[in-house]
Amino acid sequence: MLLPRYTQTCIEVGVDEVGRGCLAGPVVAAAVVLPDTFDLPLLNDSKQLKEKERIELAKAIRRQALAYAVAEASVEEIDRYNILQATFLAMHRALDEVFAHLSPPPNLILVDGNRFKPYPFVAHRCVVKGDGRYASIAAASILAKVYRDNLMKSLAAEFPQYGWAQNVGYPTPAHKQAIARYGLTIWHRRSFKIRPASATGR
């Protein structure tokens, strides 16, 4: 069972990202502040949920959250800064929106994982596998996952040969074979060195 809070005294915002290991598309982060009275009985790490469950939970999270935001770091930013720094950039963008719309603002950031770039003037705690431990992080993981999956499915209409409607940019065998056959799109991360010798850029 997920824990509702890390402390009893802080206004907590949970943060998580989706898409770090993908070959294509942006990395997406979400930040969520849940009320003490939230009612989300199926809430869990997004990876443990079926797609329909994630979609329904995302709707409920958006209804119940005191504040939430979803933000991206682009493929260009991933290639320019590296995936870790781009992930922090997406997280900070999501946090910027939450802090701009919630008063009083959060005073503790709960981050899934073991590394984070400190957000100015706000304490944070990194929690390994936090999306399976704390409700606010799980909620953030769901919002980020649903947003990014929908984005990649929409991009699949333009580039159907890569199977993004199914693999949402992850390095599946079919995705790698499509890269070898058709080359790279503008949505592929060239810093991941995924270009096969025979591929031509697109």
Side-chain angles (χ1 to χ4, degrees), residues 15-18 27-31 69-73 87 90-92 94 140 144:
V15 182
D16 200 3
E17 58 74 28
V18 172
V27 62
V28 172
V70 180
E72 303 177 18
T87 298
M91 288 180 168
H92 279 224

Side-chain angles (χ1 to χ4, degrees), residues 49-159:
L49 299 168
K50 296 177 181 177
E51 183 177 18
K52 285 186 177 181
E53 292 173 329
R54 288 195 298 266
I55 292 170
E56 290 305 310
L57 271 168
K59 294 176 184 177
I61 291 163
R62 289 191 289 265
R63 285 195 304 268
Q64 296 186 34
L66 296 176
Y68 70 88
V70 180
E72 303 177 18
S74 68
V75 170
E76 292 79 10
E77 289 168 328
I78 292 169
D79 289 342
R80 185 182 311 138
Y81 302 124
N82 75 45
I83 185 59
L84 181 62
Q85 294 305 316
T87 298
F88 295 155
L89 181 60
M91 288 180 168
H92 279 224
R93 284 172 175 163
L95 287 166
D96 286 343
E97 289 193 44
V98 165
F99 276 77
H101 291 96
L102 187 64
S103 182
N107 52 6
L108 180 64
I109 301 167
L110 297 182
V111 186
D112 183 57
N114 60 2
R115 285 192 284 183
F116 182 63
K117 181 178 180 180
Y119 192 81
F121 311 112
V122 185
H124 71 269
R125 296 290 183 272
C126 292
V127 185
V128 175
K129 297 183 179 179
D131 49 3
R133 295 181 62 188
Y134 290 99
S136 62
I137 302 178
S141 77
I142 290 167
L143 292 190
K145 174 68 173 167
V146 169
Y147 176 96
R148 192 180 187 283
D149 283 0
N150 288 338
L151 173 64
M152 294 308 297
K153 288 175 182 180
S154 69
L155 295 177
E158 185 178 0
F159 298 101

